[in-house]
Amino acid sequence: MNPKTSTHKFSVKERARYLLATHDKTYDLLVVGGGATGAGIALDAASRGLSVVLIEKNDFAWGTSSRSTKLIHGGLRYLKQLELGLVREVGLERAIVHHNARHIVRPEKMLLPIVEDGSLGKWSSALALWVYDRLAKVDKTEARQMLTKEETLAAEPLLRSDIVNAGAMYYEYRTDDARLTIELIKTAVEHTALALNHSEMLNFTYDENNKVTGATIRDYILEEEYELKAKNVVNATGPWVDELRAKDADGVEGKRLHLSKGVHLVVDRERLPIQQALYFDVRQDGRMIFAIPRENCTYIGTTDTDYKGAIDSPRSEQADVNYILAACKEMFPEHPLTEDDIQSSWAGLRPLIHEEGKSASELSRKDEIFYASSGLISIAGGKLTGYRKMAERVVDQIVKRLGLEASCQTENLVLSGGDFASEEEFDHFIQLRVGEAKQISASPEQIGRLARRYGANLDLILENAFALYAEIQNPADRLLFAELQYALEYESVGSLADFFIRRTGKLYFERAAIIAEYPKVMQRMLKYFNWGPSELQLQMQELQQAYMQAVDFS
Ligand SMILES: Cc1cc2nc3c(=O)[nH]c(=O)nc-3n(C[C@H](O)[C@H](O)[C@H](O)COP(=O)(O)OP(=O)(O)OC[C@H]3O[C@@H](n4cnc5c(N)ncnc54)[C@H](O)[C@@H]3O)c2cc1C
């Protein structure tokens, strides 16, 4: 069984060659921002045959798209706000994203305990989930199930038996937001888009009629500035959308963003050994938070607070930590967590649309498109889950402007690594590769983890590992270097942080491993990129800072 693997190499080392192609070219579309929104737009446009270039100032998914709750979900809580259209759209999208990226969008049963004085009663939960199943056209096999108190506690014995009255089990999908984004980018590249990370848009350029004609770009890999020309420019910079709108002639007119910060904490699975994912009440303020098991960890979140600080550096602060720990203590009093249990954390900013008089948690999660008189299109709001529909709406407008007829192609477009027709096919693939990888002493756990990270592209990693067999004796190092080689050649990794944070998620879920792995990874990257001493110093500083910040709440 040989599912389709990546066909296009995609390496930062080739940057100078990639940029040569941009000279004297006018693209149909320039996308600014390499989060899920920008990546989705680039893929949609490229798959309709448009020439596309995407620019990301840091790494792909560096912004909110690596700092979410990592769920592809219908947003049950938006039913409470009667956002039926939104629930319907993202609910339907869940199944599509799952089909197209089975390896990184995994079904996950979610338990909703119904508690004394909680925000949802037994009947309102049953009704909400009934509506949810219908709006999202949930498959019968994944339909909600109402549980008695006993069944709820059997499903999750850690829950507090004195306040749990009943429960509901329903399906969500778990993902890795940064990996979903890189798979979108890689698929766009396979459809001939040019995608450049570590490249910042500095200013828009205009013609004599003040229509936007492209942008000036600073490339941090080659340390040079250049201009990109495009017939259409989309600002998909999430929390930075208003910052870019302010650079345009119209400025931030009319609607503006309202940023809300969300924090997640990661603890060792043993410290909160839940059997399954939970969505539970924070009784003190009527909000709900998730606790999700992932590999050897459990992560918990999120908060939802107004944010006025620097957009580039939201942090998990003491108040955020106290809030989440208190919520856990109330629900799992026999497993009280303390700050010392926190292995890692992340803080992200929701780019919501401001509505006068509403607090962050009351604001709609709907997306909004802004059209400026210069022709600049900006898009903000929305959910990771809804990236495909958001992209369709934006690209429909661009296609119209270009006078073309090209319909959206992404509904059945399999993302890089996701070439599996069913869950059974994916499971079978893992089993086969576990067998084959015994020859290089790779464990079933290692292969399973890599398969869920890279899908069919695991085959390219295994090819690397077999080729390294004679050179590298230690099996764990061999697999690590094989993975790094794939990340460098096919996933545009340009820094240690790109690899340890967004390609592998190790900073969040295997933080302890970084200490042992980073010197070895650094050696190989140094050789690959031929870094000098000052570059090496910068690379280490960036990773160390992220490493420390993940547990610094001062
Ligand atoms: C705490 C939290 C939990 C969430 N949980 C979920 C969830 O479970 N499921 C879900 O569906 N949604 C969730 N969301 C929402 C979802 O994460 C966001 O809607 C989505 O990631 C936004 O993506 P984006 O591409 O618009 O923005 P971003 O991911 O922030 O991307 C914007 C990019 O633009 C880049 N950029 C900025 N300025 C420039 C410039 N001048 N030049 C080039 N590049 C630039 C930035 O570096 C950044 O990478 C959550 C959000 C938060 C904050």
Side-chain angles (χ1 to χ4, degrees):
M1 182 193 177
N2 291 313
K4 195 169 153 274
T5 57
S6 294
T7 50
H8 280 55
K9 287 213 170 176
F10 178 34
S11 168
V12 159
K13 214 170 152 180
E14 299 294 316
R15 182 60 55 93
R17 188 169 64 79
Y18 295 158
L19 289 193
L20 266 185
T22 66
H23 296 328
D24 304 323
K25 179 160 177 169
T26 301
Y27 287 87
D28 289 326
L29 172 63
L30 161 63
V31 182
V32 187
T37 309
I41 293 169
L43 174 58
D44 186 309
S47 60
R48 295 195 207 195
L50 271 56
S51 58
V52 179
V53 56
L54 177 144
I55 292 294
E56 164 54 52
K57 72 172 174 173
N58 287 297
D59 184 25
F60 302 121
W62 180 84
T64 306
S65 298
S66 56
R67 313 181 210 193
S68 76
T69 308
K70 308 184 191 299
L71 290 174
I72 294 297
H73 65 150
L76 185 60
R77 87 177 185 86
Y78 311 129
L79 271 183
K80 274 212 275 183
Q81 294 159 321
L82 292 178
E83 298 233 38
L84 301 187
L86 177 68
V87 175
R88 185 170 183 280
E89 180 167 305
V90 285
L92 291 172
E93 280 301 301
R94 294 183 322 167
I96 296 174
V97 187
H98 173 230
H99 275 167
N100 293 336
R102 256 176 223 286
H103 60 306
I104 34 157
V105 180
R106 312 289 311 139
E108 176 92 36
K109 271 187 178 173
M110 188 71 69
L111 177 62
L112 179 82
I114 296 162
V115 298
E116 201 67 44
D117 300 328
S119 59
L120 286 169
K122 200 168 168 181
W123 300 115
S124 54
S125 306
L127 178 65
L129 284 162
W130 183 85
V131 174
Y132 186 72
D133 278 3
R134 262 143 203 83
L135 285 175
K137 295 200 176 133
V138 172
D139 192 272
K140 275 203 178 84
T141 56
E142 297 187 354
R144 86 233 170 266
Q145 207 189 341
M146 297 309 293
L147 306 178
T148 61
K149 174 173 180 150
E150 290 68 32
E151 287 166 336
T152 307
L153 293 171
E156 184 44 75
L158 253 56
L159 289 171
R160 226 176 109 174
S161 60
D162 59 331
I163 59 167
V164 169
N165 290 332
M169 193 74 89
Y170 67 108
Y171 269 89
E172 292 288 22
Y173 293 86
R174 193 160 54 108
T175 192
D176 184 303
D177 43 10
R179 288 225 49 89
L180 177 62
T181 305
I182 190 70
E183 300 299 22
L184 285 166
I185 293 274
K186 281 154 65 187
T187 316
V189 168
E190 285 175 11
H191 284 82
T192 75
L194 177 64
L196 304 166
N197 52 351
H198 304 289
S199 302
E200 182 168 9
M201 195 227 74
L202 302 176
N203 287 299
F204 297 114
T205 54
Y206 297 91
D207 65 11
E208 60 284 3
N209 300 316
N210 289 328
K211 297 291 175 203
V212 68
T213 53
T216 50
I217 312 294
R218 170 126 199 107
D219 184 307
Y220 294 108
I221 302 289
L222 300 177
E223 288 298 347
E224 64 179 51
E225 278 180 32
Y226 63 98
E227 194 180 321
L228 277 176
K229 293 190 225 45
K231 294 176 195 159
N232 294 280
V233 180
V234 171
N235 165 14
T237 54
W240 293 264
V241 154
D242 281 353
E243 209 170 79
L244 262 74
R245 288 170 76 204
K247 292 185 181 215
D248 184 48
D250 281 4
V252 185
E253 268 187 6
K255 292 191 177 178
R256 61 188 163 86
L257 291 194
H258 182 137
L259 300 182
S260 143
K261 187 176 79 167
V263 165
H264 290 81
L265 305 180
V266 185
V267 299
D268 195 294
R269 187 80 175 269
E270 281 178 9
R271 295 295 302 130
L272 191 62
I274 49 174
Q275 290 184 8
Q276 74 136 75
L278 298 165
Y279 186 34
F280 65 95
D281 279 273
V282 183
R283 292 196 302 171
Q284 75 215 41
D285 64 0
R287 290 190 61 248
M288 295 189 74
I289 65 174
F290 292 97
I292 301 176
R294 178 167 158 160
E295 289 156 19
N296 298 323
C297 304
T298 300
Y299 68 96
I300 315 134
T302 179
T303 57
D304 198 349
T305 50
D306 288 340
Y307 186 77
K308 302 260 188 290
I311 305 178
D312 277 12
S313 48
R315 297 184 53 237
S316 310
E317 289 164 283
Q318 195 65 50
D320 306 313
V321 170
N322 294 348
Y323 176 88
I324 296 174
L325 292 184
C328 287
K329 210 172 201 167
E330 196 194 46
M331 189 50 90
F332 316 106
E334 285 171 25
H335 287 78
L337 296 173
T338 69
E339 205 174 308
D340 291 341
D341 292 316
I342 301 169
Q343 290 202 351
S344 193
S345 75
W346 65 87
L349 298 178
R350 299 176 186 85
L352 307 176
I353 312 299
H354 182 75
E355 292 171 59
E356 219 44 57
K358 285 198 178 173
S359 70
S361 58
E362 289 167 329
L363 288 176
S364 169
R365 266 55 179 168
K366 272 200 295 249
D367 59 281
E368 188 107 13
I369 304 176
F370 307 103
Y371 300 94
S373 61
S374 65
L376 176 70
I377 296 178
S378 299
I379 178 158
K383 306 276 299 166
L384 186 71
T385 311
Y387 79 83
R388 199 190 66 84
K389 273 285 168 193
M390 288 163 68
E392 182 178 346
R393 281 193 277 277
V394 169
V395 180
D396 277 350
Q397 292 306 316
I398 288 165
V399 162
K400 211 186 274 175
R401 281 186 182 182
L402 290 168
L404 300 172
E405 276 189 30
S407 59
C408 179
Q409 301 295 311
T410 53
E411 186 167 342
N412 295 307
L413 203 161
V414 168
L415 302 191
S416 180
D419 183 23
F420 302 100
S422 63
E423 286 299 295
E424 292 71 31
E425 204 174 296
F426 183 49
D427 291 343
H428 183 54
F429 167 79
I430 298 179
Q431 272 170 25
L432 287 178
R433 296 304 179 263
V434 163
E436 289 161 20
K438 280 187 186 142
Q439 295 171 56
I440 48 165
S441 310
S443 71
E445 292 73 33
Q446 285 170 319
I447 296 303
R449 188 176 297 175
L450 288 175
R452 284 183 289 276
R453 202 176 278 165
Y454 299 96
N457 292 317
L458 167 65
D459 283 356
L460 298 177
I461 295 173
L462 288 179
E463 237 175 61
N464 296 341
F466 276 99
L468 285 168
Y469 191 74
E471 183 197 337
I472 311 290
Q473 307 305 315
N474 179 319
D477 282 353
R478 196 187 292 134
L479 217 50
L480 175 69
F481 297 156
E483 184 177 7
L484 175 67
Q485 191 181 333
Y486 176 75
L488 290 168
E489 291 178 345
Y490 286 89
E491 295 202 332
S492 196
V493 158
S495 74
L496 279 172
D498 293 354
F499 181 70
F500 281 113
I501 304 177
R502 287 161 296 273
R503 296 307 177 279
T504 62
K506 286 184 189 228
L507 181 78
Y508 303 133
F509 302 109
E510 294 172 66
R511 191 165 168 271
I514 294 182
I515 293 294
E517 290 179 357
Y518 98 87
K520 304 179 214 174
V521 167
M522 195 172 67
Q523 279 306 324
R524 289 188 96 81
M525 285 183 75
L526 182 146
K527 219 165 135 194
Y528 183 80
F529 287 120
N530 204 11
W531 283 333
S534 61
E535 179 61 35
L536 196 61
Q537 183 75 11
L538 280 176
Q539 291 282 335
M540 276 169 52
Q541 263 172 13
E542 188 193 10
L543 183 65
Q544 271 166 6
Q545 199 184 355
Y547 185 86
M548 300 309 292
Q549 214 174 66
V551 288
D552 176 7
F553 313 119
S554 54

